Amino acid sequence: MVDDIDTLVALTPEAFREERHIDARVLHEVVEIDLTGRRLQVRQLDGTKKAWWEPFDQLMIATGALPIKPAVPGADAEGVYGVHTLQSGIEVRTAVDRGRPKRGVIIGGGYIGLEMAEAFVCRDMEVSLVEQAPQVMNTLDPDMGALVSEALMAVGVTLYRGESLKGFEVKDGKVQGVVTDKRTLPADIVILGMGVRPNTALAKVAGIPLGERGAIVVNERQQTEIAGVWAAGDCAQSFHLVSRRPIHIALGTVANKQGRVAGINIGGGSAAFPGVVGTAVSKICAVEVARTGLQERELEQLGWKYASERIESSTRAGYYPGAGQITVKVLAERGSGRLLGGQIVGYEGAAKRIDILATALHGGMTVGEMVHLDLSYAPPYSPVWDPVLIAARQVEKLV
Amino acid sequence: MVDDIDTLVALTPEAFREERHIDARVLHEVVEIDLTGRRLQVRQLDGTKKAWWEPFDQLMIATGALPIKPAVPGADAEGVYGVHTLQSGIEVRTAVDRGRPKRGVIIGGGYIGLEMAEAFVCRDMEVSLVEQAPQVMNTLDPDMGALVSEALMAVGVTLYRGESLKGFEVKDGKVQGVVTDKRTLPADIVILGMGVRPNTALAKVAGIPLGERGAIVVNERQQTEIAGVWAAGDCAQSFHLVSRRPIHIALGTVANKQGRVAGINIGGGSAAFPGVVGTAVSKICAVEVARTGLQERELEQLGWKYASERIESSTRAGYYPGAGQITVKVLAERGSGRLLGGQIVGYEGAAKRIDILATALHGGMTVGEMVHLDLSYAPPYSPVWDPVLIAARQVEKLV
């Protein structure tokens, strides 16, 4: 557990000012972008001053994403929380510390939902999770998601899969229950983990072109289609290096890389962000979950022919203390054998192996080439044949 | 600790016979290869039968490597052990269990030497290690090797670096001390960890061409230069995909891959082993050590111009419990920016990151391309910028 909230703040406004000589104005809101006049209308959130106009030469939009809030009755009740900002995290923690809720219900089985389910289990709460899809973690294929569902149930989370949220039961302004299309679950606290959408209303009104899922369209240099206007992070679109199509991925890794590229270019340098391969990783209690590339659903949408194989192996040499199960799934293009994606579910040491697959995707490798990757081996780290190589070897036979 | 020795046996002669229908004859020695007559002279090690000739159609040589034994007085004394086979491991363990030696001296600071130093420290012995080079683990550059030396000293191993073995003090046939060019170290037990050489005397006498360090020359299919004669594993040469030169690497990963390729080809299939990038990993108490590609010494021998940078980061997000230090060194070609190698020393979760660099070497990536690798991030696994990316970014500025 992290005890000091301040350790979670990467940079304070003071550090921006003093160390980087950047005038970071917090508690200020931009209410309008005037592209013709090259100016922003700004107001202070404490309301002490009227809105005013600030001119700009170059504009960088980094408005991030907003959590999706369901349009159902009771969503604004006390006890229903999104977990999006450090502040919302503090609010949930305070609510749990003070109210000592017994029954927690999580809506959505994505990264936030699963991480909050874990946190509630650690607080000895009775935890239920409602997920619309047949399995949690639908960034994995259903067969791999099923392993994550099992892991959640093993730590005591009650899963309601294939169920839709219909509303909340509310009494005196406080949430009492979660209503799905199949049942009502009593709830003392509810977490919304229904994903995010790009926070681009301001950009849209200003006439800055939006693309995939409403994210701002940018080129490799992070330029929008408007001269002198840049965007990066969860509000901006990315390019998927495997599908060769635009994609919106709201992850810190992508945001950091895009921000760095935008900063270099705005500062007069030259940098390009080629794109992403869709890598993500999470931890639910002892279970590590990772994915990269395209999953079956995406490949079917693209109409691409693929082969896939799922193998079970061990995180360490079988005889080595602490060896845990690992399941690796690899997907490759039929005919060419080109690697298209991979997914991993397993115990300690499992997840970071996804980086091998991510690097191979960047390199455009085939599963045949991957079989001979000179990966590291010692009994504390791996079997002689790393599980990733075993999976590649099995898929090679099918392509 | 592994309690049951049998769990370390991958395949018994019975399993070979019953499951794979292979007549694996243990305790048999081939004493001569007759290439003209296509036959082997064989004897049984229990001596019950005279040597006889066995014919062959295809011959696979998998004689492995032999530990290097120093040509100094006393090397055959009781209490001086090599650690090469399962049997030699059992002998050391028995000697420690029965004799309860107090002072252990390790000769050589490579993988075997360091792993045995750890094992002796765990047995509460007084451990000294003698290494000819300025730092232990000379498959790393000296600046990275120094970190491993420090880690060894931190767990109580006394290091004698830059010292050569001259002989052993022996009394009544038992080792009493280790004599170096600078001092005599009292010793109750001595471990020789001076590396291995290919076990190819038999092949050499038969006229099978040898190459790098006396290893058998093979092509991508694991064929020797003699028709119908194959070789794989520690007795065979490999091809280094970065230096584009032959190399001898005695590691289980390489042996397994070569053996599989040879087996497929001998069985009438078609497979090729393209080569290695020189990946290796080890664990010394809590410290993880990994390397891949070419190191400075090799690059200087090749006369290649390179840039390198060493960075320090964290194995997990800085605020996350269990975050440990990690040092990553990356080497790249000046001008092209092509990745040439990498080295990692750090705590839990550090070492397996070497696979990212190994995969990038296979893909022929530049450090500029590596900066944008879509690697996985979650606080339990990594900072937002994986240490490997930070190192690549720093080297990119120098090439």
Side-chain angles (χ1 to χ4, degrees):
Chain A
M1 198 190 289
V2 178
D3 286 312
D4 184 0
I5 293 278
D6 288 340
T7 61
L8 299 176
V9 178
L11 275 171
T12 61
E14 293 69 33
F16 264 113
R17 212 164 14 242
E18 285 153 28
E19 293 163 24
R20 305 194 178 191
H21 311 293
I22 293 171
D23 180 13
R25 303 198 205 161
V26 293
L27 300 174
H28 281 62
E29 185 187 7
V30 174
V31 289
E32 197 189 327
I33 302 170
D34 174 6
L35 289 176
T36 320
R38 310 301 279 178
R39 58 183 192 159
L40 305 174
Q41 196 177 15
V42 183
R43 69 182 188 96
Q44 256 184 304
L45 289 186
D46 62 5
T48 48
K49 222 170 142 183
K50 278 177 74 175
W52 69 97
W53 289 98
E54 289 271 355
F56 66 80
D57 296 316
Q58 303 282 329
L59 175 65
M60 168 76 182
I61 303 177
T63 44
L66 289 172
I68 292 169
K69 214 170 176 182
V72 296
D76 288 317
E78 197 186 320
V80 178
Y81 294 91
V83 183
H84 178 57
T85 57
L86 190 51
Q87 187 54 39
S88 59
I90 294 169
E91 282 164 17
V92 172
R93 189 147 148 179
T94 306
V96 171
D97 285 342
R98 293 205 184 143
R100 304 218 172 266
K102 283 200 187 79
R103 293 160 304 186
V105 179
I106 316 282
I107 317 292
Y111 300 106
I112 296 292
L114 267 49
E115 286 173 13
M116 288 307 299
E118 172 181 4
F120 281 0
V121 167
C122 292
R123 295 291 190 123
D124 291 323
M125 287 165 60
E126 218 174 90
V127 186
S128 302
L129 191 147
V130 178
E131 165 62 54
Q132 221 170 356
Q135 298 296 346
V136 298
M137 199 66 97
N138 71 14
T139 53
L140 303 182
D141 293 333
D143 57 337
M144 296 296 284
L147 301 177
V148 185
S149 292
E150 280 165 28
L152 278 174
M153 291 186 283
V155 297
V157 176
T158 308
L159 289 189
Y160 299 96
R161 287 165 281 185
E163 288 196 33
S164 307
L165 176 71
K166 291 292 166 193
F168 299 95
E169 281 190 348
V170 182
K171 197 177 156 188
D172 302 332
K174 287 191 62 180
V175 72
Q176 305 285 312
V178 172
V179 184
T180 76
D181 53 352
K182 291 187 185 148
R183 76 198 79 225
T184 296
L185 297 163
D188 304 318
I189 187 167
V190 173
I191 300 290
L192 300 175
M194 304 175 74
V196 296
R197 56 180 176 80
N199 181 14
T200 52
L202 200 62
K204 187 181 181 180
V205 169
I208 298 166
L210 306 184
E212 197 65 23
R213 287 169 62 187
I216 300 170
V217 174
V218 290
N219 64 13
E220 271 205 342
R221 304 189 70 222
Q222 298 302 132
Q223 287 175 303
T224 70
E225 298 193 4
I226 310 294
V229 180
W230 311 74
D234 292 1
C235 66
Q237 199 173 264
S238 290
F239 183 74
H240 200 297
L241 293 166
V242 184
S243 72
R244 311 300 298 172
R245 277 163 177 76
I247 190 167
H248 176 247
I249 290 187
L251 284 177
T253 43
V254 180
N256 262 273
K257 291 192 185 90
Q258 289 187 343
R260 177 176 168 270
V261 165
I264 290 170
N265 289 325
I266 295 170
S270 176
F273 179 63
V276 301
V277 298
T279 312
V281 66
S282 189
K283 185 171 181 292
I284 302 103
C285 300
V287 176
E288 305 190 353
V289 181
R291 59 98 64 219
T292 192
L294 301 173
Q295 65 191 112
E296 288 180 350
R297 189 176 57 231
E298 294 168 294
L299 291 168
E300 277 150 22
Q301 281 163 5
L302 289 165
W304 291 7
K305 298 269 177 267
Y306 65 92
S308 73
E309 189 66 273
R310 199 177 67 239
I311 66 102
E312 277 186 20
S313 180
S314 173
T315 53
R316 307 176 180 201
Y319 54 79
Y320 198 89
Q325 194 179 291
I326 175 172
T327 306
V328 180
K329 181 171 183 172
V330 163
L331 302 99
E333 192 172 44
R334 281 200 190 273
S336 72
R338 180 169 66 113
L339 178 69
L340 295 176
Q343 297 160 36
I344 297 175
V345 177
Y347 292 88
E348 202 202 311
K352 255 297 190 183
R353 281 181 163 85
I354 203 71
D355 290 345
I356 302 166
L357 290 157
T359 307
L361 282 173
H362 277 270
M365 285 186 190
T366 66
V367 283
E369 288 165 343
M370 287 190 67
V371 170
H372 293 123
L373 285 178
D374 191 5
L375 302 183
S376 59
Y377 156 68
Y381 305 115
S382 174
V384 180
W385 286 91
D386 192 278
V388 169
L389 299 186
I390 299 174
R393 213 166 68 184
Q394 294 305 316
V395 178
E396 192 196 8
K397 296 177 187 167
L398 305 175
V399 294
Chain B
M1 196 191 289
V2 178
D3 286 312
D4 184 1
I5 293 278
D6 289 339
T7 61
L8 299 175
V9 178
L11 276 171
T12 61
E14 292 70 32
F16 264 114
R17 211 162 18 238
E18 286 152 29
E19 294 162 24
R20 307 196 175 190
H21 311 293
I22 293 171
D23 180 13
R25 302 197 204 161
V26 293
L27 300 174
H28 282 62
E29 184 188 6
V30 173
V31 290
E32 196 188 328
I33 302 171
D34 174 7
L35 290 176
T36 319
R38 309 302 278 177
R39 57 184 193 160
L40 304 174
Q41 195 176 18
V42 183
R43 68 182 187 97
Q44 257 185 303
L45 289 186
D46 63 4
T48 48
K49 226 171 139 184
K50 279 177 74 176
W52 69 96
W53 289 97
E54 289 272 356
F56 67 81
D57 295 316
Q58 304 281 329
L59 175 65
M60 167 76 182
I61 303 177
T63 45
L66 289 171
I68 293 168
K69 213 170 176 182
V72 296
D76 288 316
E78 196 185 320
V80 179
Y81 294 91
V83 183
H84 178 57
T85 57
L86 190 51
Q87 188 53 39
S88 59
I90 293 169
E91 282 164 17
V92 172
R93 188 148 149 181
T94 306
V96 171
D97 285 342
R98 293 204 185 143
R100 304 218 172 267
K102 284 202 186 76
R103 294 160 302 189
V105 180
I106 316 281
I107 316 292
Y111 299 107
I112 296 292
L114 267 50
E115 286 173 14
M116 288 307 299
E118 172 181 5
F120 280 1
V121 166
C122 292
R123 295 288 191 126
D124 291 323
M125 287 166 60
E126 216 174 274
V127 186
S128 301
L129 190 148
V130 178
E131 165 62 55
Q132 221 169 355
Q135 298 296 347
V136 298
M137 198 67 96
N138 70 15
T139 53
L140 302 182
D141 293 334
D143 57 337
M144 296 296 284
L147 301 177
V148 185
S149 292
E150 279 165 28
L152 278 174
M153 291 186 284
V155 296
V157 175
T158 307
L159 289 189
Y160 298 97
R161 286 166 282 184
E163 288 196 36
S164 307
L165 176 71
K166 292 291 167 194
F168 299 96
E169 281 191 346
V170 182
K171 196 176 159 191
D172 301 331
K174 287 192 63 179
V175 71
Q176 303 286 312
V178 172
V179 185
T180 76
D181 53 353
K182 291 188 184 150
R183 76 198 79 226
T184 296
L185 297 164
D188 303 317
I189 187 167
V190 173
I191 300 290
L192 300 175
M194 304 175 73
V196 296
R197 58 181 176 75
N199 181 15
T200 52
L202 201 62
K204 188 180 180 181
V205 169
I208 297 167
L210 307 184
E212 196 65 23
R213 287 168 63 189
I216 299 169
V217 175
V218 289
N219 64 12
E220 273 204 340
R221 305 189 70 222
Q222 301 300 133
Q223 288 175 303
T224 70
E225 299 193 5
I226 309 295
V229 180
W230 310 74
D234 292 1
C235 65
Q237 200 174 263
S238 289
F239 183 73
H240 200 297
L241 293 166
V242 185
S243 71
R244 311 300 298 174
R245 280 163 176 75
I247 190 168
H248 177 246
I249 290 187
L251 285 177
T253 44
V254 181
N256 262 272
K257 291 192 184 89
Q258 289 188 344
R260 177 176 168 271
V261 166
I264 290 171
N265 289 325
I266 295 171
S270 176
F273 179 61
V276 302
V277 298
T279 311
V281 66
S282 190
K283 185 172 181 294
I284 303 103
C285 299
V287 176
E288 304 190 354
V289 180
R291 60 98 64 219
T292 192
L294 301 172
Q295 65 191 111
E296 288 179 350
R297 188 176 57 231
E298 293 168 295
L299 291 168
E300 278 149 22
Q301 282 164 3
L302 289 165
W304 291 8
K305 299 269 176 267
Y306 66 91
S308 73
E309 189 65 276
R310 200 176 65 237
I311 64 102
E312 277 187 21
S313 181
S314 173
T315 52
R316 306 176 181 202
Y319 55 79
Y320 198 89
Q325 193 179 292
I326 175 172
T327 306
V328 179
K329 181 170 184 173
V330 163
L331 301 100
E333 192 174 43
R334 280 200 190 274
S336 72
R338 179 170 65 113
L339 178 70
L340 295 175
Q343 297 160 36
I344 296 175
V345 177
Y347 292 88
E348 202 201 311
K352 254 296 190 182
R353 282 180 162 86
I354 203 72
D355 290 345
I356 302 166
L357 291 157
T359 306
L361 282 172
H362 276 270
M365 285 186 192
T366 66
V367 282
E369 287 166 341
M370 286 190 67
V371 169
H372 292 122
L373 284 177
D374 192 5
L375 302 183
S376 59
Y377 156 69
Y381 305 114
S382 173
V384 181
W385 287 92
D386 191 280
V388 168
L389 299 186
I390 300 174
R393 214 167 67 183
Q394 294 305 318
V395 178
E396 192 196 8
K397 296 178 187 167
L398 304 173
V399 294

